[in-house]
Amino acid sequence: MDLPLSFSFELFPPRTPEGVAKLPAVIGELAAVRPEFFSITHGAGGSTQDGTYETLVTVVKHSGVEAVPHLTCVGSTRANIADLLERYRQAGVKRIVALRGDLPATAMSPSAPGEFHYASELVRFIRETHGDAFKIEVAAYPEMHPQAPNPGVDFDNFCRKVGAGADGALTQLFYNADAYFDFMDRCGKAGITIPVVPGIMPITGFANTHRFCAGCGADLPRWVRLRLEHLQDDKPALLDFGSEVVTRLCETLLRNGAPGLHFYTINQSGPTLRLWKNLALRAPAQVLA
Ligand SMILES: Cc1cc2nc3c(=O)[nH]c(=O)nc-3n(C[C@H](O)[C@H](O)[C@H](O)COP(=O)(O)OP(=O)(O)OC[C@H]3O[C@@H](n4cnc5c(N)ncnc54)[C@H](O)[C@@H]3O)c2cc1C
């Protein structure tokens, strides 16, 4: 029997007054297609946990859709994390994206300050302190986390997060469907059955796509990079091309068993809703024939 597909949207806490003012409208437009949840980043690009909480409140107020905070643990103490979990529980949060996060290299060694060094420790802590009160999503890296020494070590770490109690995973962005299928093959061989939902970044420009891929170690296929570079001064043509490439990626993923899609919206409704329309996704999340 086919399982219902899961579609979700990621937001970040806005960093400018204009971004704050625009966010309710963006949430309203995205909520109209009834995603399973909105997730809200923490710490990415300098945002604070207060920013995550405020954005969570905005999502609840303007959409009625489940709001899922990201929680990063590196450099934090157990007491800090316990306080945040309590605050989220009181706010009615039912699911958390549990992450390590990033700090300068010196702050991430096992001897660094802070009581957490890896996401698997955070997953274990949430399970130990809150049982099954939260559904826990973790990050997965089809093309390997950039700091890992090799794909085998990185995959062992993913298994450790699953073993610690993760219920599901959201992947880093990628533009190469085979990397995802290879990751899923490895999950199958390791007996991992939790849903691993591909993270989809719409293509809206040459420079930002290049930067996002370089930042997380994702492969931007040469032909895509060349076409984006060539189209960079013709925004409408670049958006058409980017939307076509990502639509095809999503179709390939869904046709071959991906359990849904997690869209990195970068706080814009247009690019994600264009993909949604191209894919003819209906609300609520449905089963693809
Ligand atoms: C879906 C998604 C959402 C994200 N949201 C945010 C966000 O909101 N805020 C933000 O700051 N960042 C975010 N990130 C980025 C993420 O924080 C970084 O990629 C970070 O570098 C790793 O986080 P992690 O949870 O994957 O770490 P981990 O799973 O802990 O892995 C980090 C590295 O450590 C290695 N490792 C893990 N355990 C061990 C061990 N026991 N021994 C040796 N090596 C080990 C892994 O192989 C990997 O190289 C997100 C990423 C994804 C994919």
Side-chain angles (χ1 to χ4, degrees):
M1 193 183 75
D2 288 329
L3 290 171
L5 300 173
S6 163
F7 297 99
S8 49
F9 296 149
E10 185 167 308
L11 301 168
F12 61 83
R15 289 185 285 273
T16 61
E18 296 74 37
V20 172
K22 213 181 83 177
L23 192 63
V26 170
I27 292 170
E29 285 153 17
L30 290 168
V33 300
R34 294 173 58 203
E36 186 171 329
F37 62 86
F38 282 99
S39 81
I40 302 132
T41 66
H42 165 233
S47 67
T48 61
Q49 194 71 51
D50 281 348
T52 303
Y53 187 82
E54 282 155 22
T55 306
L56 186 127
V57 171
T58 309
V59 166
V60 172
K61 190 167 153 202
H62 291 275
S63 74
V65 173
E66 182 184 357
V68 176
H70 294 204
L71 182 54
T72 59
C73 64
V74 65
S76 283
T77 61
R78 289 188 203 307
N80 282 150
I81 297 286
D83 283 352
L84 284 168
L85 289 171
E86 201 44 50
R87 190 180 187 195
Y88 284 137
R89 201 161 168 175
Q90 280 173 19
V93 167
K94 297 270 186 291
R95 183 185 328 217
I96 282 183
V97 182
L99 300 148
R100 182 193 71 175
D102 285 317
L103 281 180
T106 46
M108 290 196 288
S109 76
S111 58
E115 295 175 328
F116 296 89
H117 301 94
Y118 299 112
S120 54
E121 298 166 11
L122 176 60
V123 175
R124 196 166 305 112
F125 182 75
I126 298 172
R127 285 285 176 246
E128 279 167 10
T129 53
H130 289 268
D132 290 335
F134 297 109
K135 216 173 155 186
I136 304 176
E137 307 285 342
V138 291
Y141 299 88
E143 295 181 87
M144 191 179 92
H145 184 266
Q147 289 160 354
N150 62 58
V153 167
D154 201 39
F155 189 74
D156 288 347
N157 166 56
F158 178 68
C159 296
R160 207 172 289 127
K161 294 193 277 194
V162 176
D167 297 295
L170 307 170
T171 78
Q172 185 55 277
L173 69 93
F174 61 87
Y175 293 106
N176 188 337
D178 282 336
Y180 174 80
F181 298 133
D182 171 67
F183 189 86
M184 295 316 295
D185 280 350
R186 287 186 279 156
C187 284
K189 286 180 187 138
I192 287 178
T193 55
I194 63 166
V196 179
V197 175
I200 302 297
M201 177 69 85
I203 291 180
T204 60
F206 166 64
N208 64 354
T209 302
H210 193 265
R211 196 175 61 246
F212 293 146
C213 289
C216 69
D219 173 40
L220 182 60
R222 184 169 182 272
W223 68 274
V224 178
R225 179 173 59 76
L226 289 173
R227 291 290 311 279
L228 292 176
E229 191 168 15
H230 178 66
L231 293 171
Q232 63 183 315
D233 295 326
D234 183 349
K235 188 82 178 176
L238 184 142
L239 290 177
D240 285 350
F241 172 70
S243 163
E244 226 179 89
V245 167
V246 181
T247 299
R248 257 186 265 141
L249 170 69
C250 294
E251 282 170 349
T252 304
L253 292 166
L254 292 173
R255 291 237 159 77
N256 290 282
L261 300 169
H262 179 70
F263 292 92
Y264 295 108
T265 71
I266 41 178
N267 289 12
Q268 295 172 29
S269 58
T272 293
L273 291 179
R274 184 169 176 178
L275 295 171
W276 191 278
K277 196 167 160 225
N278 290 351
L279 292 164
L281 298 175
R282 292 183 305 273
Q286 91 296 16
V287 175
L288 210 77

